[in-house]
Amino acid sequence: MKRKIIIAVVSVFAVLALVAFGAGWYMLDYALAPAADAQDMAKRYNRMYAEYPYMRPWVDSLKSAKVLRDTFIIMPDGERHHAVYARNDSAAGRTAILVHGYKDSHIGMLPIAKVYADMGCNILLPDLHAHGLSDGGDIQMGWKDREDVIRWIGVADSLFAGEYGRPRIVLHGVSMGAATVMNVAGESLPASVKGFVEDCGYTSVWDEFSHQLGEQFGLPPFPVLYAASALCKLRYGWTFGEASPVSQLAKRDVPMLYIHGSSDDYVPSPMVFPLYNANPRYLPEGGVYRPYNDIWITAGSAHARSFHDYSDEYAERVGRFVDKVLR
């Protein structure tokens, strides 16, 4: 009898483990599969023009003048990654690298790119791994993407160098792009990088997926999220817990502007506060401590809608921050 009980208990646990890992496998494929229309640039341009009609003449003018250009680089694993860029001859090195969100592409960042172009900046807009025209079979949630963006920083250093020397760069990301630039901020970077803008980024992939698991499926983190994270490590080499912008921010003193909508329930608005508090707020300069981080909570804005809802104020606040860090 005792042996039968043990066998039954072991069998139950084995079945539960199989179910958990099966669900984890499904979750991983569901969350990290590229968008079906990832490379349909015409569709994405039309979507952007429908929301921001003023962008069509601006983009058309850049293209007709051959100012908006494509570039590709080969990553260490042999994949080809894509970006577009535009040089501003009066930029004097002021440069913005703009990083799009989950299942988006560089096209989704063009309205914000116009803000920087209007400020007189060079702009570089990469397509992240498995997005837009960049190779890849899995979304990296801003974690391994940080290594790719660091390579794009090197590209910007080459593209926009001039008689003034190396460019002065600010990185700006939205949603997963915001998580990406925060992950970049924790690394050792070239001196050309001067500041970061993060708009509605998450504290960690674990926290974001835990939230989505509850919101979309009504499930707790255990056991599915644990299984999915372990499988992610086996398949892609990283875990949900290590992919942590909040941990990256704690590593370095970096000038950062934090933006988040007060009605964001996709990346919950309260996530912005541990991010803001993780990054030391004051930088010693000539024996005097000056504040160099800022935070802006946009009233009533949903996820990634702060620019849409407050475009003029968004441009003004970003402009003030950029003037401070790129002076």
Side-chain angles (χ1 to χ4, degrees), residues 20-83:
F21 275 89
W25 191 276
Y26 171 81
M27 178 188 172
L28 205 58
D29 283 343
Y30 176 82
L32 302 187
D37 65 348
Q39 296 193 343
D40 190 341
M41 298 295 101
K43 180 178 179 180
R44 290 173 178 271
Y45 267 113
N46 287 335
R47 186 185 306 159
M48 187 261 292
Y49 292 147
E51 187 162 17
Y52 301 101
Y54 64 87
M55 288 297 297
R56 186 185 293 272
W58 184 71
V59 172
D60 287 348
S61 69
L62 292 181
K63 288 183 174 181
S64 64
K66 298 188 173 158
V67 173
L68 191 65
R69 299 185 178 184
D70 294 276
T71 187
F72 290 86
I73 61 173
I74 304 300
M75 294 299 179
D77 59 4
E79 290 183 344
R80 194 173 76 147
H81 282 206
H82 169 260

Side-chain angles (χ1 to χ4, degrees), residues 290-307:
R290 64 177 177 85
Y292 72 108
N293 281 359
D294 200 2
I295 186 169
W296 178 37
I297 308 301
T298 55
S301 292
H303 183 65
R305 301 297 286 176
S306 294
F307 175 76

Side-chain angles (χ1 to χ4, degrees), residues 10-148:
V10 170
S11 298
V12 168
F13 275 102
V15 169
L16 290 174
L18 285 171
V19 170
F21 275 89
W25 191 276
Y26 171 81
M27 178 188 172
L28 205 58
D29 283 343
Y30 176 82
L32 302 187
D37 65 348
Q39 296 193 343
D40 190 341
M41 298 295 101
K43 180 178 179 180
R44 290 173 178 271
Y45 267 113
N46 287 335
R47 186 185 306 159
M48 187 261 292
Y49 292 147
E51 187 162 17
Y52 301 101
Y54 64 87
M55 288 297 297
R56 186 185 293 272
W58 184 71
V59 172
D60 287 348
S61 69
L62 292 181
K63 288 183 174 181
S64 64
K66 298 188 173 158
V67 173
L68 191 65
R69 299 185 178 184
D70 294 276
T71 187
F72 290 86
I73 61 173
I74 304 300
M75 294 299 179
D77 59 4
E79 290 183 344
R80 194 173 76 147
H81 282 206
H82 169 260
V84 300
Y85 71 94
R87 182 191 307 278
N88 188 323
D89 290 335
S90 62
R94 289 162 55 96
T95 298
I97 300 176
L98 300 140
V99 187
H100 64 77
Y102 180 71
K103 296 193 177 182
D104 201 351
S105 74
H106 70 276
I107 295 168
M109 292 300 289
L110 281 169
I112 294 177
K114 185 177 185 301
V115 170
Y116 282 92
D118 289 345
M119 281 187 235
C121 294
N122 304 306
I123 54 173
L124 174 68
L125 296 85
D127 284 329
L128 295 179
H129 181 268
H131 291 78
L133 299 180
S134 289
D135 291 343
D138 56 289
I139 294 172
Q140 300 179 145
M141 296 304 298
W143 182 238
K144 292 173 75 175
D145 296 305
R146 77 194 192 283
E147 299 168 354
D148 298 336

Side-chain angles (χ1 to χ4, degrees), residues 29 45 58 123 194 199 203 240 256 261 264:
D29 283 343
Y45 267 113
W58 184 71
I123 54 173
K194 304 298 184 183
D199 181 344
T203 47
F240 300 164
M256 181 85 68
D264 191 342

